[in-house]
Amino acid sequence: MSPQSSKQALDGGWGWTIVAASFMAQLLAYGSPQSVGVLYPEWLSAFQESKGMTAWVGSLVSGVGLIASPICSACVVNFGARPVTIFSGVMISGGLMLSAFAPSVHFLMFSYGVVVGLGCGLLYAATVTITCQYFDKRRGLALGIVTTGTSVGGFLYATAQNELIELFGLDGCLLLIGSFALNIIACGGLMRPLHLPAYYLKRRAALVELAEEKLRERPLARDDSVRKSLADPLVAAEGGVLPTRKKKETLSCDALAELLKTRQRRCSEYVRTLAERLSERVFVAMCAALFLYSLGAFPPLLVLEDVAQSQGLMEGVSVIPLVSIFAVAAGVGKLLLGVVMDVRWVNSVVLYSVTLVGSGVALLAIPSTRNYVGLQVVSAVLGFFSGNWSITPYMTTKVVGVERLTEAYGILMFFGGLGIMLGPPVVGWIYDWQLSYDLAFYFSGSCVLLGGLLLLLSTLPCSQDSSTQRESECTNDCHRVAAVA
């Protein structure tokens, strides 16, 4: 279909179809990674590896997509949301099906952790970007509906994977959810682009320039051949070729040198900008807080089911798994915290720090919880506070400003992905050392508390007027985050 104008498609019409397709795509893609804690005990039993080694699978599937977010965004910008979504559906489905035949945890780290993780990262960037293109005034509502698909998927898949494992075993479960993920391709087919991607625009511009260059060269080549035919018939047969080759070789060398200089200038500019961001005290505290939060708060999503089983707090399969409770509470937290952020007098950094402190206290309470109901309550609290990911764009805008939001958010997501990748293995290694999760949760809770306190202390001298002014700009410019999401 031919692209439509953005004015005709904004805030309605086909845009709601895009929202529905993006919601379903995120549900199908993130359902299994969000409920990977259900698969974790099965992998421990199947491969008989240490908890630290097995935990790498769950940490990779969540961290790889965040770390590779700049690459994923570049793919969406150059090729468009529809091809990227279709390709991500193939990656996610293939990775899940391939995991059913995994002979070891190391193979599983690649098939489930890297392949599925990269597919989820590509899908997230594509769905958020095209949703922002179709909506202007209602962009916040549209993005809220789309991103809730991850929480709904985690809730549904947690129960579904339990049942599928009981009926068909671990391998059959992975094959079935891999086949479910093929429906992402159908969702991608509905993502009609509003604008041609940058790759096609560059190719079209290059073809037009090449055609114009050939048209300019034809008269010159004809005149040169006539002159040389009068001088020497032997030279005339070759005269129309050699000068053109020399000219093209010279142009190609000059173009290559200019390209290298341009790339060098861009790299130098990026390094300089990165150094400037990392020299700002508040932004450094944000990076440290997000890293510590991801390092400490993500492991419960992976190991809480194993904690309940290893301590004998549940018998058989739970009707409502802990990861399902976590996912539902996370969806509620995203919506409510987003609503709270619309209140003018609310400081986003203080609110984010409060969620970190609350998460840290909940993590420290896990070792003293000796019943399954208590773990369910803790899962709900942790899930609700995990909705603070919706605060991150507002907080970033407040600290660095709208004009620097894209690059700063990319740096933050890198630190978040790094923490998610390291958290579960560290918790697993502590368990292998102590044969108990108590010390691991004390470590996790301390990390999250430390991150919250560091961020809170670093922002105390900040001007409230400047903060309020910048936060008000985030409502209209939050769509820039989609380019690095």
Side-chain angles (χ1 to χ4, degrees), residues 46-335:
F47 298 109
Q48 298 296 318
E49 289 282 354
S50 65
K51 294 181 184 292
M53 180 62 68
T54 309
W56 270 107
V57 181
S59 61
L60 282 172
V61 74
S62 299
V64 166
L66 285 177
I67 289 180
S69 58
I71 300 175
C72 297
S73 300
C75 292
V76 176
V77 170
N78 284 278
F79 301 106
R82 177 187 282 172
V84 171
T85 301
I86 293 174
F87 181 73
S88 67
V90 175
M91 283 190 68
I92 295 169
S93 177
L96 290 170
M97 292 184 178
L98 194 62
S99 300
F101 305 98
S104 64
V105 172
H106 298 87
F107 186 88
L108 203 62
M109 290 166 61
F110 168 75
S111 62
Y112 193 95
V114 177
V115 177
V116 177
L118 279 176
C120 290
L122 288 170
L123 178 84
Y124 188 87
T127 53
V128 171
T129 299
I130 195 168
T131 302
C132 289
Q133 291 176 356
Y134 268 86
F135 286 88
D136 184 14
K137 297 179 181 178
R138 301 179 181 176
R139 183 178 291 119
L141 175 61
L143 285 175
I145 296 173
V146 170
T147 55
T148 307
T150 61
S151 301
V152 176
F155 171 74
L156 296 178
Y157 270 66
T159 305
Q161 288 183 148
N162 265 333
E163 297 297 332
L164 291 175
I165 290 172
E166 288 292 315
L167 294 173
F168 306 105
L170 178 60
D171 297 341
C173 172
L174 290 171
L175 286 174
L176 285 173
I177 62 176
S179 64
F180 297 160
L182 285 173
N183 291 286
I184 297 173
I185 298 176
C187 297
L190 298 173
M191 296 180 180
R192 184 173 62 193
L194 285 175
H195 311 284
L196 288 176
Y199 173 78
Y200 298 104
L201 293 175
K202 291 178 181 177
R203 292 291 298 173
R204 187 170 66 178
L207 291 174
V208 171
E209 183 178 356
L210 181 62
E212 293 177 352
E213 183 179 352
K214 287 183 178 180
L215 290 175
R216 289 194 300 267
E217 289 178 355
R218 282 180 181 177
L220 296 176
R222 189 178 297 112
D223 294 342
D224 292 342
S225 63
V226 171
R227 292 193 188 98
K228 290 176 180 177
S229 63
L230 295 175
D232 190 350
L234 295 177
V235 177
E238 302 176 356
V241 178
L242 291 178
T244 304
R245 286 183 177 177
K246 290 181 180 179
K247 180 180 179 182
K248 289 184 177 179
E249 290 176 359
T250 304
L251 289 175
S252 62
C253 292
D254 294 340
L256 180 61
E258 185 65 25
L259 178 63
L260 292 176
K261 291 180 180 179
T262 302
R263 296 294 182 185
Q264 184 179 4
R265 286 195 300 268
R266 290 180 179 178
C267 291
S268 301
E269 181 68 19
Y270 179 78
V271 172
R272 184 184 64 81
T273 304
L274 180 61
E276 290 179 357
R277 298 286 78 75
L278 295 178
S279 64
E280 297 175 358
R281 177 173 53 87
V282 179
F283 185 73
V284 170
M286 288 170 53
C287 294
L290 187 59
F291 172 76
L292 292 172
Y293 173 72
S294 302
L295 180 69
F298 180 73
L301 180 62
L302 182 63
V303 303
L304 271 179
E305 292 289 341
D306 187 52
V307 170
Q309 294 181 13
S310 62
Q311 295 183 0
L313 301 181
M314 58 180 292
E315 296 181 0
V317 178
S318 174
V319 177
I320 304 179
L322 297 175
V323 289
S324 295
I325 298 174
F326 187 97
V328 172
V332 175
K334 289 176 182 178
L335 294 176

Side-chain angles (χ1 to χ4, degrees), residues 297-371:
F298 180 73
L301 180 62
L302 182 63
V303 303
L304 271 179
E305 292 289 341
D306 187 52
V307 170
Q309 294 181 13
S310 62
Q311 295 183 0
L313 301 181
M314 58 180 292
E315 296 181 0
V317 178
S318 174
V319 177
I320 304 179
L322 297 175
V323 289
S324 295
I325 298 174
F326 187 97
V328 172
V332 175
K334 289 176 182 178
L335 294 176
L336 291 183
L337 291 175
V339 171
V340 171
M341 284 308 306
D342 290 333
V343 181
R344 284 186 171 272
W345 54 266
V346 173
N347 188 306
S348 60
V349 180
V350 174
L351 180 61
Y352 190 82
S353 301
V354 170
T355 60
L356 295 188
V357 173
S359 299
V361 172
L363 287 169
L364 293 175
I366 292 179
S368 59
T369 305
R370 299 303 177 187
N371 56 75

